[in-house]
Amino acid sequence: MSSLRTSRTRLVAAAATAVLATLSLSACTNGTGTQDEGSGSSTSPLSAAPSPTTASNSPAPSGSLGSSSGKAPSAATGSSGAGSAGGAATTAARTPAPKAPASSGKPVTCEGSTTKTVAAPLTRPVNHMLLTVTNTGSKSCYLYGYPAVRFGEAQAVPPVIEDSQPQAVVTLGPGESGYASVNLSATDGSGANGYTAKSLTVYFQGRSGNESVGTGAHPSMPAKGVYVDDSLKVTYWQQSMDDAVSW
């Protein structure tokens, strides 16, 4: 009898265990069973990796074309640079151009000590030289008449081309220039007493036109000199270069 009871007890215990196992499995399947709060807080290597959905919604790294702002930082920088350039251009446009020194006092007569004279042989017209006189003083000056030129050791002053006389006296403000041309020799070879001159002195006339005033100018000459003959003549001082070389 004792043996029979023991067998029945074991059968009942086994059946009860089977029923409990079935109930536990059902609870896990339909989600009604209890959960282990402690195990839910742990992280596994798989759960640490972001899902594709999570990765696609994450902001792109700074500086990438996929920035959440929709613009690349480089484009913003370019826009800022353009604005700076535009501002600089505006500032430059508003900056007044430098002006020549203002004249101070009553105008004087132009002469060697307050001017700079440059002598430049021309290829067109041929056998011509251009004299350029620039006012280096602080006052306006008058270029009266025409240049009295002396090539080398010549004694006579060459004549002026009367038709080149301007309607008004040439006036030079500080930094401004006046011009005259010199016909060095006959273009057809008809001139006589020709020679090569390697030095030049330019004298300035006063208002009366009868004598020179101040000091003369000594512009540099080409190393080989210039050829002159007795057809040598000059123009009156002109306000523009074009007027000077037209004779």
Side-chain angles (χ1 to χ4, degrees):
M1 289 293 293
S2 174
S3 193
L4 182 58
R5 271 186 199 146
T6 301
S7 297
R8 286 180 179 177
T9 301
R10 289 178 178 175
L11 286 174
V12 171
T17 301
V19 171
L20 290 175
T22 300
L23 291 175
S24 176
L25 180 61
S26 298
C28 291
T29 301
N30 60 19
T32 58
T34 58
Q35 297 181 358
D36 187 348
E37 295 295 336
S39 63
S41 63
S42 64
T43 303
S44 68
L46 289 179
S47 64
S51 66
T53 302
T54 303
S56 64
N57 290 334
S58 299
S62 175
S64 70
L65 293 178
S67 163
S68 59
S69 64
K71 294 183 180 180
S74 58
T77 303
S79 175
S80 175
S84 299
T90 302
T91 302
R94 292 177 179 174
T95 302
K99 297 180 180 179
S103 178
S104 59
K106 186 178 179 180
V108 297
T109 300
C110 299
E111 46 98 3
S113 67
T114 58
T115 60
K116 177 181 179 181
T117 302
V118 176
L122 302 176
T123 55
R124 301 181 69 179
V126 295
N127 299 354
H128 277 60
M129 171 180 283
L130 178 68
L131 298 179
T132 302
V133 174
T134 302
N135 183 359
T136 58
S138 60
K139 298 180 180 180
S140 294
C141 68
Y142 296 127
L143 272 176
Y144 290 110
Y146 56 91
V149 298
R150 179 184 179 186
F151 285 95
E153 300 301 321
Q155 299 298 317
V157 173
V160 66
I161 302 173
E162 291 294 345
D163 290 343
S164 67
Q165 185 172 8
Q167 295 182 350
V169 175
V170 174
T171 304
L172 305 182
E176 295 181 340
S177 299
Y179 310 89
S181 65
V182 182
N183 294 10
L184 299 171
S185 58
T187 57
D188 59 2
S190 61
N193 303 314
Y195 64 97
T196 298
K198 295 188 176 181
S199 65
L200 171 64
T201 303
V202 179
Y203 297 100
F204 298 85
Q205 294 184 357
R207 176 178 291 182
S208 67
N210 296 325
E211 59 184 3
S212 63
V213 296
T215 59
H218 303 276
S220 298
M221 293 277 284
K224 64 179 182 179
V226 295
Y227 180 80
V228 298
D229 61 27
D230 59 7
S231 63
L232 178 68
K233 51 187 175 291
V234 300
T235 68
Y236 281 92
W237 291 114
Q238 308 292 329
Q239 199 78 53
S240 76
M241 183 187 304
D242 289 342
D243 290 339
V245 300
S246 63
W247 299 95

